Amino acid sequence: MPSNTDSSEFVPAMAEIAREAGALLIKYFEARVKIEYKGEVDLVTEADRKSEALILERIRAQWPNHDVMGEEGTRIESGSDYRWYVDPLDGTTNFAHGFPVFCVSLALEFKGQRIAGVVYDPTRNELFSAEQGRGAYLNNRPIRVSAVDNLAECLVATGFPSHKRHKNPNVFFYHQITLRTHGVRRAGSAALDLCSVACGRFDAFWEFNLNPWDTAAGVLIVEEAGGQVSDFSGAPFNINSRETLASNSLVHEAMLAEFDAVFKGRGLEELPSPVEYAKSRGKAIK
Ligand code: IPD
Ligand code: CA
Ligand code: CA
């Protein structure tokens, strides 16, 4: 058992656990599992639970004294300096519909500091990892955020919560930032969205109401790849924050300025009226 906080002692074992859980997910994915509901549109499957059980067993076997918080109900809180955040299947809605964008996300904190994180996408065999102060990697090769410094040239990502979705204003941000960038993707796995910022596929990502298990690993991977993560006012990211804004750091200020404008109701582009559009249907298209 590691006796100090040297995170490089953890990452190889974390990668092995994530790969094992990813292989289990693929088996269920190919068999098309039954969908159950946690909330109105909050889905869960047997694969989520089996993956969490496997990960928990592996963690407990190697680090029996560590605390663990897992999305599917694991809460081990003994006051240990070490705490794991486990998302056994990030992207359940995609998974349940057969859309191949999902992953396993594991992060480890020591005294409240993120020291190691691993995100594994079993559909592409892509393993993202980071250790505090040692950079970020994709399949063991170093990765870096993009060098795009102009918001208008950015490809950006977001997500919409399945919980309390009627109360979420994100569609306004989606609309505004779509008009200000090359586009906004909504792929359905926050951990993979963060990793895509880390390796330069996306230039920024934001989401309301994520949970610690969605963000813990991905945030460390973005930071170690040279990116920046904050809340929507620019304050440092906090694991219990309900606001996540990650970027290549070069466009962070520009993203914050867009958020500020939307929150103040300033500069909002008007949406075209669907009623007017409907009236024009059937007429010759010019
Ligand atoms: C969800 C995904 C999705 C995000 C949701 C999350 P889950 O996690 O990360 O991209 O938009 O907010 O809850 O439920 O599939 O683990
Ligand atoms: Ca998740
Ligand atoms: Ca999950």
Side-chain angles (χ1 to χ4, degrees):
M1 196 196 315
S3 56
N4 56 31
T5 63
D6 187 349
S7 52
S8 63
E9 295 182 46
F10 292 105
V11 165
M14 292 169 85
E16 202 178 313
I17 298 171
R19 283 185 184 280
E20 204 185 338
L24 180 144
L25 293 182
I26 288 291
K27 275 196 196 148
Y28 279 96
F29 187 65
E30 285 167 354
R32 294 300 297 268
V33 292
K34 199 171 128 250
I35 302 174
E36 298 160 45
Y37 288 85
K38 284 200 266 192
E40 195 198 347
V41 287
D42 198 358
L43 312 185
V44 67
T45 69
E46 194 185 344
D48 297 68
R49 289 190 291 266
K50 285 277 165 39
S51 175
E52 182 153 318
L54 182 148
I55 293 165
L56 182 62
E57 201 179 300
R58 298 293 180 267
I59 293 174
R60 299 296 282 167
Q62 294 183 68
W63 304 286
N65 302 320
H66 287 192
D67 286 354
V68 186
M69 178 186 274
E71 178 173 13
E72 301 314 325
T74 303
R75 295 287 181 278
I76 298 173
E77 289 165 353
S78 68
S80 166
D81 284 340
Y82 290 95
R83 170 181 288 203
W84 293 76
Y85 292 101
V86 175
D87 194 337
L89 165 47
D90 185 53
T92 296
T93 304
N94 290 343
F95 182 93
H97 286 268
F99 182 60
V101 178
F102 56 86
C103 65
V104 177
S105 176
L106 303 178
L108 180 60
E109 261 183 14
F110 177 72
K111 293 191 173 174
Q113 285 214 336
R114 282 176 290 284
I115 59 165
V118 158
V119 172
Y120 180 55
D121 172 354
T123 73
R124 291 174 182 73
N125 189 25
E126 288 191 336
L127 188 117
F128 296 87
S129 62
E131 303 167 24
Q132 189 187 39
R134 289 202 177 85
Y137 297 82
L138 165 51
N139 291 346
N140 294 322
R141 293 194 176 169
I143 50 173
R144 260 214 80 77
V145 290
S146 74
V148 180
D149 61 2
N150 176 8
L151 191 61
E153 293 167 29
C154 285
L155 184 62
V156 177
T158 190
F160 290 82
S162 47
H163 187 58
K164 293 192 183 162
R165 57 186 177 159
H166 301 291
K167 300 204 166 146
N168 192 273
N170 199 30
V171 74
F172 293 97
F173 295 83
Y174 181 85
H175 171 62
Q176 192 77 350
I177 292 168
T178 293
L179 298 177
R180 301 276 195 267
T181 59
H182 278 176
V184 180
R185 299 291 177 261
R186 191 271 191 257
S189 163
L192 284 180
D193 289 333
L194 286 163
C195 291
S196 288
V197 173
C199 69
R201 293 172 185 166
F202 292 145
D203 307 296
F205 161 73
W206 83 91
E207 187 160 344
F208 289 80
N209 293 332
L210 287 171
N211 287 296
W213 46 80
D214 300 310
T215 54
V219 164
L220 180 68
I221 293 169
V222 169
E223 289 173 341
E224 288 296 328
Q228 187 178 345
V229 190
S230 74
D231 70 8
F232 299 156
S233 307
F237 175 79
N238 175 303
I239 194 73
N240 295 311
S241 164
R242 310 310 289 171
E243 301 180 353
T244 307
L245 170 60
S247 80
N248 65 4
S249 87
L250 301 172
V251 295
H252 213 83
E253 281 304 319
M255 284 292 288
L256 287 171
E258 293 301 331
F259 272 82
D260 188 51
V262 178
F263 278 130
K264 289 180 174 146
R266 270 199 272 117
L268 282 175
E269 300 279 346
E270 221 173 285
L271 279 163
S273 155
V275 176
E276 289 305 314
Y277 176 83
K279 281 187 200 154
S280 72
R281 289 170 75 207
K283 292 186 186 156
I285 296 168
K286 290 180 193 157

